[in-house]
Amino acid sequence: MTIVAATLKDRLPATIRTARLALVTPTLAHVPQMAVLANNKAIHAVLARLPYPYGESDGRFFVENIARGETEFAWALECEGAFIGVVGLHILPGRLPELGYWLGEPFWGQGYATEAGHAAVAAARQAGAPGLRSRALLDNHASRKVLKKLGFLEAGEDIDTTGTLTGRKVMQMYLEFDQR
């Protein structure tokens, strides 16, 4: 009999509830609102892997191929049943999982990113991750502030080499979990 060890992804919860949000598996039902909110130059400008323009076909591709793909574990964020954004972990072998998120612009500045981030961080910790990494554009002070509220420490500036942020200055950030 062969016993297969559960991976980090296998130990993450499909759904998480917070005071105001539900973090759920992204579904095709989220796609119409996802396409509306993600089709925004301000969001595209700060994310490495979000296409622009963003249409429903992009949302379907995300739901069907990326959200719970081999190296991803994403949750759709719902507030009062409405889709407002995404939070997730990019999980690569031999590296700390990377926390990423985006919110539709109408939901900025209301604490939703911090609330969702706390839930994702707690889930990763509970699932056995030794810590997390993240990055934010050097001039994206709002995202860096959210990450600091989650306990991330700034580790230093770097030049991004990923997607649409290639060549732009980013702050690398890390959060180590106490392994007691």
Side-chain angles (χ1 to χ4, degrees), residues 46-83:
V46 296
L47 296 178
R49 298 187 297 155
L50 193 76
Y52 184 83
Y54 193 100
E56 287 194 18
S57 63
D58 298 302
R60 280 191 304 277
F61 184 80
F62 172 76
V63 168
E64 294 173 343
N65 300 291
I66 297 174
R68 295 288 168 92
E70 186 176 328
T71 61
E72 302 291 333
F73 196 98
W75 291 275
L77 304 177
E78 293 180 350
C79 182
E80 298 178 2
F83 175 87

Side-chain angles (χ1 to χ4, degrees), residues 8-164:
L8 175 67
K9 284 180 57 173
D10 295 330
R11 294 186 300 265
L12 290 168
T15 301
I16 305 171
R17 300 227 179 263
T18 68
R20 299 180 296 165
L21 301 173
L23 285 69
V24 302
T25 302
T27 69
L28 293 176
H30 295 122
V31 168
Q33 188 61 13
M34 185 184 297
V36 169
L37 294 175
N39 192 35
N40 180 322
K41 284 184 180 182
I43 293 171
H44 171 75
V46 296
L47 296 178
R49 298 187 297 155
L50 193 76
Y52 184 83
Y54 193 100
E56 287 194 18
S57 63
D58 298 302
R60 280 191 304 277
F61 184 80
F62 172 76
V63 168
E64 294 173 343
N65 300 291
I66 297 174
R68 295 288 168 92
E70 186 176 328
T71 61
E72 302 291 333
F73 196 98
W75 291 275
L77 304 177
E78 293 180 350
C79 182
E80 298 178 2
F83 175 87
I84 67 166
V86 173
V87 65
L89 300 172
H90 184 58
I91 305 168
L92 296 174
R95 299 201 62 195
L96 289 176
E98 183 175 24
L99 178 72
Y101 56 88
W102 68 268
L103 290 175
E105 192 170 3
F107 305 100
W108 293 359
Q110 299 174 52
Y112 293 124
T114 302
E115 188 171 332
H118 276 300
V121 165
R125 182 180 189 152
Q126 184 70 29
L132 296 172
R133 62 189 168 94
S134 194
R135 68 186 190 282
L137 285 171
L138 211 53
D139 60 358
N140 188 346
H141 301 289
S143 192
R144 289 172 60 190
K145 184 177 177 182
V146 166
L147 291 167
K148 286 178 185 178
K149 287 180 186 178
L150 300 178
F152 281 79
L153 300 175
E154 293 184 339
E157 295 179 22
D158 204 354
I159 302 296
D160 206 16
T161 59
T162 308
T164 59

